[in-house]
């Protein structure tokens, strides 16, 4: 019987214990032996809880126990989670985590530390909740030359954009509804400004490149500037608006970005609605493959953590290799990326916009009632676009096209 410790008995941690309890037989069949939660680390006590006897308050109780083989860190945040994980790996205990912030910041270092100590460091639940995308990248697609990963990586922002589109409600109104339903935090900045998606695409980009993509180096825009008018234009253009995290390798370099994009409705990502996530991976031989499911939530995320525990137990005594090294990835500047842009300007800027962006712009109908001029640029570099945009006296908004 393999002994497991869970760090943090909040939403995800309690979910991990629940999965191990509820699906005990299935877990045993999959792992090849039974799993037992020996300890639960938390600052609180849980009187009356089924597992109150397993609750401890000192990490050293867990670290000093040779019976504990696997530690599930579900605390979140950088510290003390990083110190706890590092100590566990140094003591020869494998670690799995749902902590995207920590994996994005220190994942490669912890993967290498695990390898040095003959144990494993897995983090399936850090991206896409219960969607098995990291395992697929690290295993089933390892032979592919992956040249792009694009995903809807945050359920909160996708819920907000879906509501704005389907119900014609403004950003502030929908955000309030999302908070009331528990889909958005009281302080929603990490979601709506794109920081959460940024950390997730950093992890995916690191696995794609095999090197460390620092999330702080990724250009990130959120959704707070998206308006009802933007959606009206998108519908006329046969497009949806989604917050995408993407990493792409082409002849111009290796690019990463988080930003709202207009996506043609025929693209499967355009039809991913509500709190769901979807991640599209393109390989040179495979072509496109898309992973879809709930990107957050207690049970979905906990299921992914347990999948990592099972993987570790099945490979007891071995290091499960993860394609992520501490060497820093070389990212190309955003300025070099080339794409089209949708732009809205006041009506009196029409002639100036045509002069600045040239005769190849495609006008979009629908701006007359708003007293504005809307158009789509030709293919243009990010740097060139920004330079031209600055020459306009007023810009009501712009969105990249995918």
């Amino acid at each position: 019987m393999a002994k497991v410790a869970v760090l943090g008995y909040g939403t995800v941690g309690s979910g991990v214990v629940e999965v191990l309890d509820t699906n005990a037989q299935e877990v045993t069949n999959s792992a090849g032996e039974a799993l037992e939660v020996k300890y639960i680390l938390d600052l609180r006590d849980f009187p009356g809880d089924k597992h109150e006897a397993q609750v401890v308050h000192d990490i050293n109780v867990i670290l000093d126990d040779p019976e504990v083989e696997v530690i599930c860190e579900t605390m979140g945040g950088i510290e003390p989670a990083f110190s706890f994980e590092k100590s566990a790996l140094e003591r020869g205990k494998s670690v799995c985590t749902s902590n995207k912030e920590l994996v994005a910041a220190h994942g490669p270092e912890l993967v290498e530390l695990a390898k040095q100590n003959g144990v494993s460091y897995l983090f399936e639940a850090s991206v896409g909740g219960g969607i098995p995308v990291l395992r697929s990248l690290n295993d089933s697609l390892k032979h592919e030359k992956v040249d792009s990963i694009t995903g809807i990586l945050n359920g909160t922002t996708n819920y907000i954009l879906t509501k704005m589109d389907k119900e014609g409600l403004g950003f502030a109104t929908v955000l309030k509804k999302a908070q009331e339903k528990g889909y958005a935090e009281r302080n929603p900045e990490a979601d709506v400004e794109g920081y959460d998606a940024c950390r997730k695409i950093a992890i995916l980009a690191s696995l794609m490149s095999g090197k460390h993509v620092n999330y702080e180096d990724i250009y990130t825009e959120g959704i707070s500037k998206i308006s009802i008018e933007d959606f009206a234009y998108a519908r006329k253009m046969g497009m949806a608006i989604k917050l995408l995290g993407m990493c792409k390798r082409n002849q111009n370099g290796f690019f990463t970005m988080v930003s709202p994009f207009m996506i043609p409705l025929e693209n499967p990502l355009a039809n991913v609605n509500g709190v769901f996530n979807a991640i599209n991976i393109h390989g040179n031989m495979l072509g496109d493959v898309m992973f879809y499911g709930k990107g957050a939530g207690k049970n979905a995320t906990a299921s992914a953590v347990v999948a990592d525990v099972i993987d570790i137990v099945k490979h007891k005594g071995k290091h499960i290799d993860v394609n992520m090294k501490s060497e820093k990835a070389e990212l190309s500047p955003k300025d070099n990326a080339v794409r089209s842009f949708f732009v809205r300007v006041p009506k009196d800027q029409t002639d100036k916009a045509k002069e600045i962006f040239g005769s190849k712009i495609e006008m979009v109908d629908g701006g007359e009632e708003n007293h504005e001029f809307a158009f789509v640029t030709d293919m243009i570099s990010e740097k060139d676009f920004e330079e031209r945009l600055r020459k306009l006296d007023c810009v009501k908004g712009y969105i990249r096209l995918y």
Side-chain angles (χ1 to χ4, degrees):
M1 179 176 285
K3 310 281 184 168
V4 178
V6 177
L7 311 187
Y9 203 42
T11 301
V12 179
S14 61
V16 169
V17 175
E18 187 178 329
V19 172
L20 291 171
D21 284 347
T22 305
N23 288 7
Q25 190 57 56
E26 289 78 8
V27 169
T28 299
N29 293 344
S30 186
E33 63 180 294
L35 303 186
E36 178 192 331
V37 177
K38 187 168 185 182
Y39 300 109
I40 297 168
L41 180 76
D42 206 284
L43 294 172
R44 302 160 293 174
D45 289 307
F46 297 87
D49 187 276
K50 178 181 177 181
H51 292 278
E52 66 174 311
Q54 279 85 50
V55 176
V56 297
H57 307 301
D58 183 358
I59 185 63
N60 291 307
V61 173
I62 297 168
L63 296 176
D64 292 340
D65 189 335
E67 283 195 338
V68 175
E69 299 174 46
V70 188
I71 289 178
C72 306
E73 185 272 297
T74 62
M75 301 164 62
I78 299 293
E79 286 293 353
F82 176 56
S83 296
F84 290 174
E85 287 189 7
K86 196 172 177 182
S87 296
L89 294 170
E90 289 170 343
R91 302 280 188 100
K93 301 180 190 298
S94 290
V95 173
C96 52
T97 182
S98 58
N99 190 339
K100 57 185 169 285
E101 186 179 359
L102 178 52
V103 176
H106 297 289
E109 174 187 347
L110 293 166
V111 167
E112 290 185 358
L113 184 60
K115 187 172 185 177
Q116 290 165 17
N117 289 278
V119 292
S120 297
Y121 184 68
L122 301 180
F123 40 89
E124 181 64 65
S126 66
V127 177
I131 305 170
V133 63
L134 301 190
R135 182 169 282 101
S136 298
L137 260 179
N138 199 55
D139 187 7
S140 304
L141 304 179
K142 207 167 186 178
H143 63 286
E144 284 283 330
K145 291 180 180 176
V146 175
D147 51 39
S148 72
I149 301 175
T150 305
I152 295 168
L153 301 171
N154 182 274
T156 299
T157 49
N158 204 46
Y159 171 85
I160 291 171
L161 291 174
T162 300
K163 282 284 185 184
M164 289 177 70
D165 184 18
K166 306 299 184 192
E167 299 181 16
L169 300 172
F171 172 78
T173 303
V174 179
L175 174 59
K176 188 177 179 185
K177 284 179 178 283
Q179 289 170 320
E180 288 168 356
K181 285 182 176 286
Y183 294 150
E185 302 286 344
R186 188 174 298 173
N187 178 2
E189 184 182 23
D191 292 321
V192 301
E193 296 303 335
Y195 306 147
D196 175 79
C198 175
R199 288 181 170 88
K200 292 172 182 174
I201 199 63
I203 295 168
L204 288 165
S206 295
L207 282 171
M208 173 177 158
S209 67
K211 299 177 181 179
H212 187 198
V213 176
N214 189 332
Y215 68 89
E216 293 177 337
D217 295 335
I218 296 176
Y219 176 81
T220 302
E221 272 185 33
I223 65 167
S224 55
K225 294 177 183 175
I226 302 295
S227 68
I228 299 172
E229 290 76 20
D230 290 324
F231 281 103
Y233 284 111
R235 282 190 289 274
K236 289 180 179 178
M237 296 163 66
M239 293 191 172
I241 300 173
K242 300 293 180 182
L243 181 72
L244 298 181
M246 61 169 60
C247 50
K248 186 172 289 190
R249 192 194 309 278
N250 58 29
Q251 68 274 15
N252 295 323
F254 181 41
F255 301 91
T256 59
M257 171 182 279
V258 174
S259 174
F261 278 81
M262 283 186 169
I263 312 173
L265 290 177
E266 56 267 25
N267 187 308
L269 287 171
N271 300 294
V272 176
N273 293 317
V275 296
F276 282 85
N277 284 191
I279 301 150
N280 188 87
I281 298 174
H282 185 272
N284 67 323
M285 294 291 135
L286 175 68
D288 289 303
V289 60
M290 192 168 90
F291 298 81
Y292 171 85
K294 285 189 176 178
K298 176 177 178 175
N299 293 336
T301 307
S303 178
V305 175
V306 172
D308 279 347
V309 177
I310 291 169
D311 209 6
I312 288 167
V313 172
K314 284 169 72 174
H315 294 87
K316 192 177 293 188
K318 296 179 182 177
H319 168 73
I320 300 171
D321 191 41
V322 175
N323 186 37
M324 188 185 280
K325 295 180 176 62
S326 291
E327 180 187 349
K328 192 170 182 180
E330 189 175 326
L331 297 180
S332 300
K334 170 184 73 75
D335 289 351
N336 296 344
V338 176
R339 56 177 52 90
S340 295
F341 296 79
F342 167 76
V343 185
R344 293 165 48 219
V345 298
K347 195 77 172 174
D348 61 11
Q349 293 281 296
T350 300
D351 291 339
K352 193 168 186 179
K354 289 178 179 179
E355 179 188 334
I356 291 168
F357 283 95
S359 58
K360 289 186 179 179
I361 62 173
E362 179 185 337
M363 289 175 279
V364 181
D365 290 334
E368 292 81 6
E369 64 269 27
N370 300 319
H371 304 290
E372 59 188 36
F373 173 61
F375 62 95
V376 174
T377 72
D378 192 17
M379 294 291 284
I380 187 172
S381 73
E382 290 266 354
K383 182 179 181 181
D384 195 7
F385 174 74
E386 288 177 7
E387 287 175 352
R388 296 191 195 192
L389 204 67
R390 280 196 290 268
K391 294 177 182 177
L392 290 166
D393 299 329
C394 178
V395 178
K396 300 184 85 171
Y398 70 88
I399 303 175
R400 294 169 175 86
L401 266 63
Y402 181 70

